[in-house]
Amino acid sequence: MLWQKAYGFPSPLFWGTVSVLLALLVRWWHQKRKSTNSVPEKWRCVGELSELTVFPIKSCAGISLEEAECTECGIQTVSDGPLKLRDRFFIVYDEKTEEFKTARTYPKMLLINVTLDGNDAVKLSAPNMPELQIKVPQDSESNKRTHCKIWNNEKVETVDCGDTAANWLSKYVLNQDCGLRLGYYLADIMPRRVAAEKLKQCFKTFKNKDLGVYSDLTSFMLMTESSIDDLRTRLPPHVSIISRQFRPNFLVRGSLPYEEDKWKWIRIGETAVFKNVKPCTRCVLTTINPDTAIMEPKREPLRTLKGYRQLTDPAMLKVEGSSPALGIHLGLHNSGTVRVGDSIFVEDE
């Protein structure tokens, strides 16, 4: 119209274009928000839970379970008593440097087992060592609180489990009377860890609450039997592997190889819901047989994994380095009880 031209008002075509762009922007924002924060409405079954494992002491033997409770701090045993075994609530650390110690340096740690022993204690056992009962620290013993250092010198709080436990660990691992200590996490009074900013910037769905107590990263790690089976076909004939070398909490049967890489949401059973927050990068620990604590001489299967499972995203490479990936780290969205045999569901897009 003449008055629009005279006064410089935008044309109807302009406003129509703006309206379409705004509608597309709103739609995109809602889809993005739904995809990152909302539990899916539709699910499809991709397999079943074939193995469920808790690792009470970081870098020591795991315990196969038939059912477990999924909490923000990881899986824990289901029992009638007040004490439960929780995932990586114990940690071994150097009494002088306060640095945490793992089977990467001391492979025989993989042969240390822990079991419940009554309502307030656990029992440690290892080859050629007497069994040792340890009273699990309680809130009233907070005067024993100290710190130890994990990856990148991150300081985490722990409560020391006493000289008897320290002596037992030192004799078994170091063949000395001292040197190592055993720490325990008091969930009700100790703070949670805070993720590095570069990690959250690279992996957008990663939150502080996803960090495990003393685990390398998150409270949950999932792998699939099919991916391990495919890896077996690529290994030299003399190399054999078992799933426990990769230390997953959840092992899935029935899915396609490496399909888990693309799963965004995972539901196990009826109530426990998780988000895929990042790939699980692999280290030398995968080369150690968990039954014998012997390392494979040619660093298999790590060497083979590096040949075809390297990260390719430049941003991920900057954060993760050159380590290959196998399995996924999960963050808990809805808590619940899971059982071996439960169906595994993923978002049906």
Side-chain angles (χ1 to χ4, degrees), residues 111-123:
L111 305 181
I112 298 175
N113 288 280
V114 58
T115 56
L116 286 174
D117 192 19
N119 292 327
D120 62 352
V122 295
K123 184 181 293 182

Side-chain angles (χ1 to χ4, degrees), residues 92-97 99 101-102 105-109 112 129 165-181:
V92 179
Y93 63 98
D94 187 284
E95 67 178 0
K96 292 183 178 179
T97 66
E99 294 177 346
K101 298 300 177 183
T102 73
T105 305
Y106 303 108
K108 64 192 303 185
M109 286 178 62
I112 298 175
M129 290 291 292
N167 177 257
W168 189 93
L169 280 172
S170 300
K171 282 186 176 180
Y172 175 67
V173 178
L174 305 177
N175 198 28
Q176 299 176 2
D177 291 333
C178 61
L180 298 179
R181 309 291 300 184

